[in-house]
């Protein structure tokens, strides 16, 4: 790269980085930071079904809440919609591919006022090959559900953390 364009590129990059002065890490302060303390004050009630159990456990792990009501300031209500759909159907009606979908609608409720602070959705999906071994297909479906549950929980925690980071 010739010297003038290189100099111009470095000046532009420096100017762009200077504009990021208002940014700060979300989890600044580690476990004692504002966001971590706020997340630990979120209670997660039980969620129906196997996918609900998986999502709730992932949420409790990520929130650091322990799932109890001790010191809870918020309640996170989650409703799940789970689907397993056959795709890739052959002429003899044999399914060769499946799509597993997990969607969540969640509400963050302030326990003191009863107000809904956040009302949002999260979702993920995965494709699965259907093979001749029924055991392998069942194992793949279960693994996909576990992965989707963690992914949905991550999305939920991120949205909640962003909301709790902002002053109310």
């Amino acid at each position: 790269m010739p010297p003038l364009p290189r100099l111009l590129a470095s000046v532009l990059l420096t100017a762009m980085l200077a504009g990021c002065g208002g940014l700060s890490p979300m989890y600044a302060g580690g476990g004692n930071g504002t966001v971590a303390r706020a997340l630990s004050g979120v209670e997660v009630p039980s969620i129906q079904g196997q996918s609900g159990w998986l999502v709730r456990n992932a949420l409790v792990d990520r929130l650091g809440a322990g799932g109890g009501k001790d010191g809870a300031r918020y309640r996170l209500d989650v409703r799940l919609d789970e689907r397993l759909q056959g795709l890739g159907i052959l002429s003899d009606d044999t399914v060769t591919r499946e799509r597993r979908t997990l969607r969540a609608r969640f509400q963050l409720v302030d326990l003191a006022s009863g107000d809904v602070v956040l009302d949002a959705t999260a979702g993920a999906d995965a494709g699965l090959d259907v093979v001749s071994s029924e055991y392998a297909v069942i194992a793949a479906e279960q693994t996909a559900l576990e992965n989707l549950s963690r992914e949905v929980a991550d999305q939920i925690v991120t949205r909640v953390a962003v909301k709790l980071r902002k002053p109310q």
Side-chain angles (χ1 to χ4, degrees):
M1 184 181 253
L4 185 58
R6 189 178 308 151
L7 177 64
L8 183 60
S10 65
V11 168
L12 281 173
L13 182 61
T14 304
M16 287 174 29
L17 288 176
C20 297
L23 296 179
S24 62
M26 182 179 301
Y27 295 105
N32 293 325
T34 307
V35 173
R37 283 194 316 267
L39 288 177
S40 68
V42 177
E43 162 195 335
V44 185
S46 62
I47 308 168
Q48 281 190 325
Q50 179 187 15
S51 57
W53 182 82
L54 290 167
V55 169
R56 182 183 183 277
N57 284 347
L59 286 170
V60 168
D61 287 347
R62 284 153 180 76
L63 293 170
K69 296 182 181 184
D70 301 335
R73 180 167 178 212
Y74 299 98
R75 183 182 71 241
L76 183 62
D77 295 326
V78 181
R79 286 178 300 284
L80 297 176
D81 179 27
E82 175 186 355
R83 295 178 194 238
L84 184 61
Q85 180 181 26
L87 304 172
I89 300 173
L90 298 176
S91 60
D92 64 350
D93 288 336
T94 305
V95 175
T96 59
R97 188 109 174 116
E98 291 178 337
R99 177 180 178 203
R100 181 154 225 162
T101 307
L102 185 62
R103 302 280 181 252
R105 174 151 187 231
F106 59 96
Q107 294 180 323
L108 185 65
V109 179
D110 187 326
L111 292 175
S113 66
D115 292 339
V116 175
V117 178
L118 175 65
D119 187 353
T121 59
D125 63 327
L128 308 156
D129 288 327
V130 177
V131 295
S132 59
S133 168
E134 190 173 328
Y135 174 77
V137 172
I138 292 170
E141 289 172 354
Q142 181 63 32
T143 300
L145 180 59
E146 292 168 4
N147 292 338
L148 293 174
S149 298
R150 285 191 296 270
E151 190 173 332
V152 166
D154 286 342
Q155 291 175 24
I156 292 171
V157 170
T158 299
R159 294 286 303 273
V160 169
V162 168
K163 182 65 180 176
L164 295 180
R165 182 173 185 236
K166 296 177 185 175
Q168 298 298 318

